[in-house]
Amino acid sequence: MKKFLKINLFAFLTIILSFNYVVCYATPIPDVKLTVDSPTAFELPKYFRKSTDKITPSENINLSGLDKLNISGSGQFSKTGVPLMKESIGNVPITIIDLREESHGFIDGIPVSWQNANNDANRGLTVNEIIADENSRLKSIPLNKAIALEGFKDVIIPSKVQNEAEQSEAYSLSYIRIPVTYKNLPTEAMVNYFMEVVKNQPEGSWLHFHGNEGLERTTTFMIMYDIMKNCKEVNLNDIITRQVLLSKMDKNTSDKFYSGEVYNFLNNFYNNCKSSESNSNKQIS
């Protein structure tokens, strides 16, 4: 009888352990959840826009230099959205400027990230620490075992996990990480790093900026880039307005760019760039 029970218990455990739909959770740390960031449908990422898009301003604003910027912006893209982005941008070398501080990556092309309530789990970490945390978390995702994702109705069984650099390079896109805390402004170090990136940007290349939603961080950096290239000819309000119009963001979001902390930051950046001899090599201090 005991022998019979042992055999049946062993058989039962074997079946359970080999069952594909045993659900695993890749994030044991409390208050940080593995979350799906955007749909995987074959479509452009949310708030995708290019500096070459036509805009019809409701007032007379200066559009000088806008269509020569060679930049675009969006929310987080999925694997299926990348070919559409490349097609829309055209046959030029593209560099992804990843502004997300939060650890994120791709499970079978589905964009995912680890988020807490304020989406600021990596606040205060260095770039190297962020990348180390991100890679560690991605490696913790079990392959060929079902996992549950916050915001995703179906359980999925990962067969391939990649960070964004790997995902970008698979599509012949260059990749640069400039992490900024969600709903915050970039630190001085990241501002200076960004200016160095722009200074060393190859001629004829295209920069694609993205955060998670594609609005606040993305638009801030598109405005900063526009300032660096056009502050000699275009005033700050016109630069802000044309980037806001391109994004098609709502008024509640756009108002943040015209007053308070965000506007003060952009105004300081604008004045520093305008007083700089080259518009691109002066560091903000």
Side-chain angles (χ1 to χ4, degrees):
M1 181 67 177
K2 288 183 179 179
K3 184 177 180 181
F4 175 80
L5 287 174
K6 286 181 180 178
I7 292 172
N8 278 276
L9 179 60
F10 177 79
F12 176 75
L13 290 173
T14 300
I15 292 170
I16 291 296
L17 292 174
S18 62
F19 189 48
N20 276 339
Y21 284 84
V22 174
V23 177
C24 301
Y25 292 87
T27 309
I29 300 174
D31 302 324
V32 180
K33 297 179 180 180
L34 181 56
T35 304
V36 172
D37 290 322
S38 62
T40 56
F42 195 68
E43 60 187 19
L44 286 165
K46 53 192 172 185
Y47 293 106
F48 178 81
R49 70 274 195 184
K50 309 186 301 291
S51 54
T52 51
D53 290 347
K54 298 295 182 184
I55 56 175
T56 305
S58 57
E59 54 190 71
N60 186 26
I61 66 169
N62 188 348
L63 300 179
S64 297
L66 178 61
D67 60 352
K68 303 294 192 299
L69 286 177
N70 283 5
I71 61 172
S72 53
S74 74
Q76 178 63 62
F77 52 82
S78 65
K79 177 182 177 180
T80 52
V82 175
L84 294 177
M85 286 171 48
K86 292 183 68 175
E87 181 181 357
S88 180
I89 291 169
N91 188 25
V92 294
I94 301 170
T95 297
I96 300 295
I97 306 293
D98 181 0
L99 302 172
R100 301 187 70 181
E101 181 183 75
E102 56 270 26
S103 295
H104 64 287
F106 296 84
I107 300 176
D108 296 335
I110 301 170
V112 299
S113 64
W114 283 266
Q115 297 185 19
N116 60 3
N118 296 318
N119 200 16
D120 61 354
N122 288 342
R123 179 191 286 272
L125 298 185
T126 66
V127 177
N128 289 338
E129 289 170 339
I130 290 168
I131 292 172
D133 176 85
E134 179 173 280
N135 288 335
S136 175
R137 289 179 181 276
L138 290 169
K139 287 179 182 177
S140 76
I141 296 173
L143 298 181
N144 305 313
K145 293 183 180 179
I147 63 171
L149 302 175
E150 189 80 8
F152 200 67
K153 64 179 181 179
D154 299 319
V155 171
I156 66 171
I157 305 174
S159 60
K160 189 173 187 179
V161 176
Q162 295 175 296
N163 60 32
E164 189 165 315
E166 293 167 334
Q167 179 73 73
S168 299
E169 289 161 7
Y171 283 90
S172 301
L173 305 174
S174 299
Y175 175 85
I176 295 174
R177 185 75 166 269
I178 306 179
V180 179
T181 306
Y182 180 65
K183 291 191 176 296
N184 279 256
L185 292 166
T187 63
E188 180 183 322
M190 291 301 98
V191 170
N192 290 330
Y193 177 47
F194 172 62
M195 297 183 79
E196 284 300 311
V197 167
V198 175
K199 178 181 175 182
N200 297 309
Q201 181 185 0
E203 187 175 351
S205 62
W206 186 284
L207 300 183
H208 179 77
F209 300 90
H210 85 85
N212 184 24
E213 294 296 326
L215 291 177
E216 297 185 26
R217 288 176 289 190
T218 301
T219 305
T220 296
F221 273 79
M222 292 178 75
I223 290 170
M224 289 165 64
Y225 187 86
D226 201 345
I227 287 171
M228 291 178 69
K229 298 296 183 180
N230 294 306
C231 65
K232 296 290 187 182
E233 290 78 31
V234 186
N235 67 53
L236 176 58
N237 273 24
D238 283 357
I239 288 176
I240 293 173
T241 299
R242 62 199 202 174
Q243 292 299 335
V244 164
L245 288 171
L246 280 174
S247 74
K248 296 182 172 64
M249 66 178 69
D250 61 46
K251 188 176 185 302
N252 286 338
T253 305
S254 67
D255 282 349
K256 300 175 184 177
F257 290 94
Y258 294 98
S259 64
E261 185 182 13
V262 176
Y263 182 81
N264 291 338
F265 167 82
L266 293 172
N267 187 54
N268 180 57
F269 187 80
Y270 181 89
N271 290 333
N272 274 277
C273 286
K274 194 166 185 179
S275 65
S276 171
E277 291 182 0
S278 65
N279 286 356
S280 61
N281 64 2
K282 182 178 179 180
Q283 295 192 336
I284 305 298
S285 59

